[in-house]
Amino acid sequence: ESSHLGGGNELFSMQLPPSSFDSFIGSPKFTEFSRARPSMQSPNRMTRGYTTGSVSSFLLEEVEAAKQEPDDTEAALEQDLSEAWSLPEHTLYAGTHVLQAAPHTYAVVTRIGSATVRGELVRDILMEQGAVDHESDQMHEDAYKVMALLFVIGLSALIWSVIFVTEKFGIKMYAAVLDGLDLLTIAVPPALPAAVTFGLVFAIARLKKKNVYCIKASAVTRAAWLKVMCFDKTGTLTDVGLDVRTLLLESSRVNDGKDGKPLPNGDEPSFAAPLFALPTSGYQCLLSEDDSIRKELIHRNVLYTLACCHSLAEIEGNVVGDEVDLKLFELSGFELMPTPPGSSVIMAVSEPSSRDGEPPLQTLKIIRSLDFKSEFARMGVVVEVESTNELMLFVKGAPEIIADLCRPSTVPHNLSDVLMGYAFQGFRVLALASRSLGKRSATTEGKDSVSAAMNASRDRLEKNLDFLGLAVMENRLKPDTAAVLGELNQEGNLRCVMVTGDHSRTALSVARQSRILRDNKPVIVADVEKRQHGAGDLIRSRESEQTFCVKFVDASNPSISLNWVELMNELGYTTGSFRGESREEPGEDAFEQYRLFDEPKIDVVVTGAAFRVLHNEYKMLVQESAEGGGGRTVEVEMLLFRLGILEHCSVFSRMTASDKTTLVRLLKETVGMSVGMCGDGANDAGALKEATVGVSLCPEGTGEATASLAAPLTSTDTSLLSVIYTIAEGRAAAAASITAFKYMLLYSVIQLTQVCCLYVVGGDLTDGEFLFVDLFLVIPLCIFMGETEARPGVGPHAPPNSLFHWSVVVSCLGQTFLCIVSQLLILVLIRVCGLSTSYAQTIKLIQEEGDLAEATIEVTALFLLANFQYLLTCYSFNLGPPFRKSSHTNVLLLQTILALAALCALLCVSPPVWVPHAVTAMHQWLTEGLLAMVPVPRVVQWGVMGVAAVNAILSWLLEKAIARQFVASSSRGEE
């Protein structure tokens, strides 16, 4: 535990019985919050008081959260600290910035360091846990395999050279071994494995310029091979802010003259006309024009729900909190009031008078808050109405959840149709409800009734509610959402999936607007309903007779339903049965035999409840298949979840945070796809970490390095273009790494071939020539090679994920063949022209130098040709498309190649008399001094340049042909 807030933690461990609580409060080993606004360094369990804090640096989004003490403090202290850790409504997490605290607010520090949630995230970052980088690992493995092959070749060349030069030229064994070791070091470049990650440095730098920051470099490369991209909806596909579109109330709640009692028997509850008009100039709220209009139109309980059912707080005169709560609170016309010190009231709100200086018209005191939880999909507050001394419960949340908690006599008969209509238009809908808990008891100043309301369980309070109405809010798409998703889906051949907690109809509308779903296809919605066992057309749970069953209905006509066999046929699969083969799951080939056609005739939308039922059913089927052994028939219902849901569903609605994480994991492990995830909130953190590549949208000003705690990539720009940038740069990085690998390989092959040819004629390169190649040619080319930018947008193809891909192998073998043939042609040219060094001259030079001869025409000629080969292979490998821009856009590389080509040409020919003396002097210093070259006849000079030109043309044509064939084979789906 921590002794105090901030640095210098004193650690201690102790058991605290309830009787010692008051004495423990007074001890120095207890944390007290003050108004000094500290930043929480450890998670603290609230035991007394009430605080408001900004949890942006923990939750990865800007949210003001209110924390209060548990209902039973002494009982809470008796619990084990691990149990207290699981109660987020009473916990101030590490990283929380305390904005406000009630006097004498206390908390116990329960975790410090890496044991905190924030610490776990940081530990995961440092230890590089999470997604498995299969493609990058494969490329590294391939690189080491190539190195092993080159080592064998180099070792063979070493043995051959030692035997050959000692027998033919009489070289001493010691010198021969040293020369042979040159071949081994040339053949095995130590930087070859590092070349696999060559493009990452440049890609990360370019992403940073586009406000995309990376904390895991490997995530950029993984983005090159994404097959599925999942998106959260609110704040990711749509804007963060919400506008209240409509306030639609149950008819008895519209006129304040009615007392809100249930309608008389025989009357059926229904909705009144919407209270918002929508003129062409924008939204107009009738509630904001005149206080009398508000009183006449809306029942008081509706206003009280809008005013009290929230977790807002007033900080330095500003009301802060959740965007939805804030919008609805503003509509109520109420104001937050300061809470008296020492009061048990959590918060108070008042209805201001229309005249200045007059007391409030009404005051509401919030004495208990039932915090929002994703599994409940609602929140509530217990309120004391000061003017009537009445205790009220106000609740808001998901309409289908609230309707189940309300008395049926108060729920409008057309609720489902109304919800479907609004959801179909993409609106977000909240239901409002209330319940009277009775008057404050006269005995003991109402202590009995208040205590009952404070101590009652949530289930006891939230029942027999009166349905009040619906608050309809609009969450508009971001301007670039449709364009980005259209490019990913159509041009990039990536499957785009929406994973949201909103209603299926809302998700369906947004999916169509954002081009995830096509308008010309029917949509089937998978949801759950309660039925008895025996419904043969449904997948069902097997836990009880009364169970949740999955039904498949047409979104445009709910009266039309499909059974799972018809659904699979519409998706392009026939049905049958699998034969188990002593494995936990059927392989991909087993499923492929049931494919009828590639393009499904329908789109599928799955709710979270249906997803959970189908997932549980799938796990049971897999387990039965594994237990049955080789003779066990695997039920064909496995097709439904594996193929129908995981591989073809594009919209998942009403998904919790754990559902999102599970979905991403299943797509990776069960289907075997590389999955990306883009989100902006705390409910996306698990999925962002689980995904192959996670991109978090975290605008500047919402916290210090907030999103980097959950996702390897963080964009400070909320635009979805960051996803395009990430994938494009990932593909460019992978292509650049393959290019660097091929170039390093050819660099070794060119020099190895050159030196081996020279050993045959008794020659060897000088130290100056080795230095010139490494320092002046290869290093500058490698530096600027990665500067070629990614192609704009996302293309339909991904780069090879293996160094043994046919395109890489053919390219390396083809370039090797051209280089070897070119060098042999130069040696043939020298011999044909009668310019070759005789055996006697070679022996004489060897005896003079004590080693292989360096001052021969063969050495100089092959050195000049090899220089051009280093340049032409670099240019051919860096053509650019289809993953990078043309090499002409890389000005630095192009200028470097041209400058080095001019230098190599200058070495090849003698400078004419009209060039400046400085050029002539530099030529003489290089050729006679550093490189120790011998003069070569003009026929050899022009022969070298001619062979180099032909080699360059053929190399360029070979790479262009390979690129075209790669695109063609990728379009056909071939490997």
Side-chain angles (χ1 to χ4, degrees), residues 310-592:
H310 55 71
S311 57
L312 302 176
E314 186 174 7
I315 308 298
E316 297 182 351
N318 298 319
V319 180
V320 295
D322 182 75
E323 180 77 13
V324 176
D325 290 346
L326 194 57
K327 290 286 185 181
L328 296 178
F329 178 74
E330 291 174 352
L331 286 181
S332 70
F334 280 62
E335 296 178 350
L336 293 180
M337 295 179 60
T339 304
S343 173
S344 61
V345 176
I346 296 175
M347 188 184 306
V349 297
S350 64
E351 183 180 12
S353 174
S354 58
R355 298 179 181 180
D356 296 337
E358 292 188 358
L361 299 177
Q362 183 63 272
T363 299
L364 309 175
K365 299 178 181 179
I366 303 174
I367 61 176
R368 182 181 178 185
S369 176
L370 306 175
D371 294 327
F372 173 83
K373 292 184 178 181
S374 58
E375 60 266 28
F376 294 151
R378 64 185 184 273
M379 75 163 295
V381 290
V382 177
V383 175
E384 179 184 351
V385 182
E386 189 176 73
S387 61
T388 62
N389 287 329
E390 184 179 12
L391 296 180
M392 296 289 298
L393 172 68
F394 300 114
V395 182
K396 71 178 181 184
E400 58 268 29
I401 302 297
I402 299 298
D404 289 340
L405 300 175
C406 293
R407 292 183 294 130
S409 60
T410 66
V411 179
H413 67 90
N414 58 341
L415 175 62
S416 297
D417 296 334
V418 171
L419 287 177
M420 185 180 299
Y422 281 123
F424 192 78
Q425 300 176 63
F427 297 137
R428 183 176 179 182
V429 184
L430 288 178
L432 312 176
S434 68
R435 178 190 174 189
S436 175
L437 302 179
K439 299 280 187 178
R440 287 180 62 107
S441 301
T443 59
T444 322
E445 298 181 354
K447 183 177 181 181
D448 291 342
S449 60
V450 173
S451 297
M454 293 292 291
N455 297 325
S457 65
R458 187 165 188 167
D459 291 337
R460 290 185 58 189
L461 288 175
E462 295 177 329
K463 67 179 182 179
N464 297 325
L465 304 177
D466 291 336
F467 191 89
L468 300 178
L470 301 175
V472 183
M473 287 155 288
E474 184 176 18
N475 196 202
R476 297 183 180 90
L477 282 182
K478 293 179 179 178
D480 58 357
T481 294
V484 170
L485 267 64
E487 181 176 352
L488 290 174
N489 200 358
Q490 299 172 13
E491 299 180 21
N493 285 339
L494 269 77
R495 175 184 162 204
C496 295
V497 176
M498 179 195 299
V499 190
T500 177
D502 285 346
H503 192 277
S504 59
R505 294 287 177 175
T506 304
L508 175 58
S509 175
V510 174
R512 280 176 168 160
Q513 296 177 43
S514 58
R515 301 182 186 178
I516 291 179
L517 298 180
R518 300 180 183 179
D519 295 333
N520 60 347
K521 280 188 177 183
V523 176
I524 302 299
V525 178
D527 205 348
V528 296
E529 65 178 4
K530 288 185 178 180
R531 286 196 183 182
Q532 300 294 327
H533 277 328
D537 59 333
L538 301 173
I539 298 297
R540 56 194 178 276
S541 171
R542 304 174 181 179
E543 296 178 358
S544 62
E545 291 298 323
Q546 182 71 29
T547 181
F548 285 104
C549 302
V550 179
K551 60 179 181 179
F552 308 99
V553 298
D554 193 315
S556 58
N557 188 359
S559 62
I560 300 177
S561 62
L562 302 177
N563 58 41
W564 67 268
V565 175
E566 294 170 337
L567 178 73
M568 295 306 300
N569 290 338
E570 292 296 315
L571 289 173
Y573 293 92
T574 184
T575 55
S577 60
F578 300 107
R579 294 294 176 181
E581 300 177 4
S582 300
R583 55 189 175 190
E584 293 186 358
E585 297 187 36
E588 186 67 25
D589 294 339
F591 286 116
E592 284 299 323

Side-chain angles (χ1 to χ4, degrees), residues 41 68 219 251 290 325 405 540 612 717 912:
Q41 304 301 315
Q68 59 180 322
S251 56
D290 189 84
D325 290 346
L405 300 175
R540 56 194 178 276
R612 290 186 287 272
D717 186 355

